[in-house]
Amino acid sequence: MPKYAKWIGGGLGWALGGPIGALLGFVFGSMFDSMNSGQLEYKPSDGDRTTQTGDFTVTLLVLSAAVMKADGSVKRAELDYLKRFLVQHFGAGEAQRQILLLRELLKQEFSLTEVTQQVDRHMTYAEKLQLLHFLFGISLADDKQHPAELGLLERISSMIGITAGDYASVMAMFIKDASSAYRVLETSPNATDEEVKKAYRAMANKFHPDKVAHLGAEVQKAAHEKFQQLNAAYQEIKRQRGIT
């Protein structure tokens, strides 16, 4: 594994190829005089690699940069939210290097279409859902809804193959209203009790933390938090309906 791989906090597989690999090459080339800009072992993705921790992390950083810039300004709360995740995941020293990489990514222009196509080809559905969950957390880190950022999140979600229902479910975990519990479960107040139970079982399988365990303890911990929100939504509906 090349020396720069440790900047990404772990293994790199498919992210070394395609548009993400080219973007990393340019960024690392601008960060280190000893590296030639754009020469980060760029090669086409082979469509055959499983997602490793480094692939997930660098994808999160690239798409976070796009979301942070969507409303025209990068918020301190957004940077702090992402830094907390990186510190928990890699430790303080590695997190600092990742933030330096993010700052360089924030300066770059890149094709969101090409990046999301690469993500869509290589990530599992569970990995994409967890990625979307992190991006929502970053967007709403300052407790404000930014229409440009939410619009971009919806676009990214669609481009990486997440269904409209699953996008609405993840969004409902962050933006609460009277019907958010039902939207988390992808059902409606008109559903029967049996339909609600069936919806919960389906979502529990889809959001189960074990599906992203291979990405590391902290990603799985975040997946547990998402799973807990699913359970909380189900318990709220049961309470409202008197379901035992």
Side-chain angles (χ1 to χ4, degrees):
M1 184 67 66
K3 291 181 180 179
Y4 52 72
K6 59 188 177 183
W7 276 73
I8 315 299
L12 280 167
W14 55 261
L16 280 177
I20 295 177
L23 177 61
L24 287 178
F26 187 87
V27 167
F28 275 102
S30 67
M31 291 173 72
F32 301 106
D33 292 338
S34 60
M35 299 180 67
N36 293 322
S37 179
Q39 301 300 311
L40 185 62
E41 292 197 359
Y42 174 76
K43 52 193 174 185
S45 302
D46 57 20
D48 193 28
R49 298 172 179 170
T50 57
T51 300
Q52 300 182 52
T53 302
D55 298 317
F56 185 87
T57 303
V58 76
T59 301
L60 174 62
L61 292 175
V62 170
L63 293 181
S64 294
V67 171
M68 288 178 181
K69 294 192 295 183
D71 65 350
S73 65
V74 177
K75 308 293 189 304
R76 183 72 209 178
E78 295 171 335
L79 287 170
D80 288 344
Y81 180 95
L82 187 52
K83 186 173 182 179
R84 283 194 298 273
F85 163 75
L86 295 172
V87 168
Q88 290 172 345
H89 197 40
F90 302 119
E94 190 65 34
Q96 185 59 39
R97 291 190 286 272
Q98 301 285 10
I99 290 296
L100 288 175
L101 175 56
L102 174 66
R103 291 185 186 280
E104 291 299 319
L105 288 168
L106 286 166
K107 300 174 186 177
Q108 307 302 320
E109 297 296 331
F110 56 88
S111 170
L112 186 63
T113 298
E114 291 180 356
V115 167
T116 52
Q117 285 175 344
Q118 186 177 5
V119 172
D120 188 30
R121 283 195 302 271
H122 292 284
M123 279 193 177
T124 67
Y125 199 76
E127 291 163 354
K128 295 173 188 177
L129 285 173
Q130 191 57 45
L131 182 64
L132 180 64
H133 194 265
F134 278 129
L135 292 175
F136 259 108
I138 292 166
S139 176
L140 299 171
D142 59 355
D143 296 321
K144 295 179 181 178
Q145 297 177 31
H146 304 280
E149 291 184 355
L150 292 178
L152 183 60
L153 283 175
E154 186 172 12
R155 183 181 167 207
I156 289 172
S157 178
S158 175
M159 293 169 81
I160 63 176
I162 293 177
T163 67
D166 285 342
Y167 171 81
S169 175
V170 174
M171 181 170 67
M173 294 180 180
F174 291 90
I175 302 176
K176 308 289 187 181
D177 59 29
S179 64
S180 60
Y182 285 96
R183 286 188 288 113
V184 168
L185 265 61
E186 294 186 24
T187 187
S188 76
N190 297 324
T192 65
D193 289 353
E194 189 55 40
E195 288 171 338
V196 168
K197 292 177 182 179
K198 183 177 179 180
Y200 169 72
R201 289 193 294 269
M203 296 301 290
N205 180 64
K206 187 183 300 184
F207 285 176
H208 200 284
D210 285 353
K211 292 181 180 290
V212 294
H214 59 288
L215 295 177
E218 288 305 326
V219 173
Q220 189 177 26
K221 179 182 177 182
H224 272 290
E225 293 171 359
K226 176 159 52 69
F227 195 71
Q228 288 170 354
Q229 291 187 59
L230 173 68
N231 285 331
Y234 183 48
Q235 293 302 319
E236 174 60 19
I237 292 172
K238 287 174 65 177
R239 183 191 65 76
Q240 292 174 5
R241 293 179 172 225
I243 298 175
T244 57

